[in-house]
Amino acid sequence: MHYALRVQGHLDPSWSDRFGGLRIEQQEAGTTLLSGSVPDQAALHGLLLQIVRLGLVLLSLETSEAKGAEEAADKRPGSALDAESRGQIEG
């Protein structure tokens, strides 16, 4: 799963290791965007705990499917793409 966490203030990009290798981008509005793939809920919990321990203010958290996951979902049996490919093979 891909996550984007926005925190108050600017974090130095060298802190990436403290946040599980997430990409750190300083934003114009005086915030920092942490983004990247997080393997599971335990890893997400660890990231949130790190934010709390550092005294940061979490402004937002957004999720989306990881890159490539959408393509894999479309190829599952019963999906529209799967039905199209079967039609081409059978047709």
Side-chain angles (χ1 to χ4, degrees):
M1 185 72 79
H2 186 270
Y3 286 87
L5 300 94
R6 188 174 309 278
V7 296
Q8 183 97 28
H10 283 156
L11 298 180
D12 191 276
S14 66
W15 284 27
S16 182
D17 287 344
R18 294 181 186 202
F19 292 99
L22 292 181
R23 182 177 175 183
I24 296 178
E25 299 175 57
Q26 296 179 351
Q27 307 290 296
E28 291 180 19
T31 63
T32 299
L33 182 66
L34 306 164
S35 61
S37 293
V38 178
D40 54 29
Q41 292 271 323
L44 176 61
H45 182 76
L47 291 171
L48 295 172
L49 188 58
Q50 181 73 328
I51 288 171
V52 169
R53 284 181 179 156
L54 291 170
L56 301 172
V57 176
L58 179 64
L59 300 173
S60 67
L61 186 146
E62 298 177 20
T63 64
S64 63
E65 292 294 323
K67 292 181 180 180
E70 188 174 294
E71 293 171 9
D74 284 342
K75 294 180 182 178
R76 286 183 301 202
S79 72
L81 183 60
D82 182 60
E84 275 182 30
S85 62
R86 276 196 319 264
Q88 290 173 354
I89 294 171
E90 294 171 1

